Amino acid sequence: MIHLKSKSEIELMRKSGVVVARTIRQCYEAIVPGKTTTRHLDDLAARLIAEAGGVPSFLNYRGYAANTCISVNDVVIHGMPNDIPIVEGDIVDIDIGVCLNGWHADSAWTFAVGTVSPEAQRLLNISKEALFQGIAQAKLGNRIGDIASTVQKYAEKHGYGVVKELVGHGIGRKLHEEPTNVPNYGKAGKGEVLREGMTICIEPMINQGTAKIVTMPDKWTIKTADGKLSAHFEHTIAITRDGPDLLTLE
Ligand code: MF3
Ligand code: CO
């Protein structure tokens, strides 16, 4: 069953969302190219979330053993923190979920570290725009398929591969709840009707080359099958009478 949130519940989720957005930004700002590791950022995120009175949503989720997912270059999603320094020219997806007062919010942003190649910058620009084109479809009476098909068409029009195996999701008292499947591909006019008070994460994963992915032996880290770059942008949004309400902003 889809839990429709009241206005006051949405405001509680926004409080979690503010912590998510702030933590992502502070992690990005902490990157010293050639020096900072993703493990350092994971520790920093843990500290910032705890100081805000929250709990990292991903820690221990289905056995996940870190606070964040940080995915560099050809890592699509679920990058586990490691001891490799981030360097100039990398693109880094910082994906963070926070539970505050029992309510979750979840967001991800892919950043350029210093100056990146024009191809990498274009991937970031188009992937971010794909998310916002999808969000613009998140209005009353539309369906999940309207979001999904818009994201897919926009990304594919620019020659990119849309990851199909991983999808967005409903969110609230749980990190993942109904609707459990908010894909980034599909047909307009299909799927669940969007209703007032629905809260969902839209999170396109867009590949520079093939849409195909491979899972690493750690069973979490997912990379592009061709070793090319991948970008990931995610916001938690509420469906309201006034249109999509972005909850993961500072
Ligand atoms: N943003 C991702 C998601 O919503 C991150 C989940 S990582 C996990 O699925 F470790 F919690 F699974
Ligand atoms: Co998510």
Side-chain angles (χ1 to χ4, degrees):
M1 208 191 71
I2 295 180
H3 176 205
L4 301 175
K5 281 78 175 178
S6 67
K7 284 211 165 83
S8 63
E9 289 173 329
I10 289 171
E11 291 318 310
L12 287 169
M13 288 181 66
R14 195 189 311 279
K15 285 205 159 57
S16 312
V18 170
V19 177
V20 169
R22 195 168 64 210
T23 306
I24 291 175
R25 177 182 54 79
Q26 290 184 321
C27 283
Y28 167 62
E29 288 173 357
I31 296 174
V32 179
K35 184 162 176 275
T36 308
T37 64
T38 56
R39 196 181 309 284
H40 175 80
L41 298 182
D42 190 73
D43 291 342
L44 173 61
R47 207 157 62 234
L48 294 169
I49 294 166
E51 278 168 16
V55 174
S57 305
F58 304 168
L59 182 63
N60 300 324
Y61 181 85
R62 295 189 179 192
Y64 189 71
N67 304 291
T68 62
C69 296
I70 304 181
S71 306
V72 180
N73 294 337
D74 63 332
V75 179
V76 175
I77 200 175
H78 298 165
M80 298 187 68
N82 61 38
D83 298 310
I84 305 168
I86 294 164
V87 297
E88 167 109 18
D90 281 348
I91 61 168
V92 180
D93 165 29
I94 302 176
D95 185 355
I96 292 179
V98 168
C99 185
L100 189 68
N101 301 312
W103 293 93
H104 293 267
D106 178 12
S107 177
W109 205 261
T110 307
F111 296 95
V113 177
T115 307
V116 300
S117 70
E119 296 75 33
Q121 191 58 56
R122 179 175 179 269
L123 176 69
L124 297 183
N125 297 346
I126 301 295
S127 303
K128 190 194 314 175
E129 182 59 22
L131 169 62
F132 284 101
Q133 296 261 333
I135 289 173
Q137 294 297 319
K139 48 192 186 190
L140 290 190
N142 265 6
R143 292 172 182 263
I144 299 264
D146 296 307
I147 300 171
S149 70
T150 298
V151 170
Q152 179 180 24
K153 275 195 198 130
Y154 187 79
E156 291 182 349
K157 184 171 82 185
H158 290 86
Y160 292 139
V162 175
V163 174
K164 315 277 188 316
E165 291 86 343
L166 298 144
V167 295
H169 50 94
I171 184 167
R173 284 198 179 277
K174 293 197 289 178
L175 173 64
H176 293 159
E177 60 179 46
E178 289 188 44
T180 51
N181 192 14
V182 181
N184 300 299
Y185 64 95
K187 289 197 165 61
K190 300 280 181 197
E192 195 77 46
V193 175
L194 300 174
R195 283 177 284 157
E196 189 173 4
M198 277 173 69
T199 46
I200 57 172
C201 289
I202 306 176
E203 53 178 315
M205 286 143 271
I206 307 297
N207 294 353
Q208 193 181 25
T210 179
K212 290 208 181 78
I213 56 172
V214 284
T215 305
M216 296 296 103
D218 66 20
K219 301 237 170 63
W220 281 103
T221 309
I222 292 176
K223 293 188 175 184
T224 59
D226 59 7
K228 292 189 177 175
L229 299 174
S230 183
H232 175 220
F233 290 90
E234 172 178 21
H235 271 307
T236 297
I237 64 152
I239 311 294
T240 78
R241 236 175 276 182
D242 305 321
D245 186 359
L246 277 69
L247 303 182
T248 35
L249 296 176
E250 281 192 75

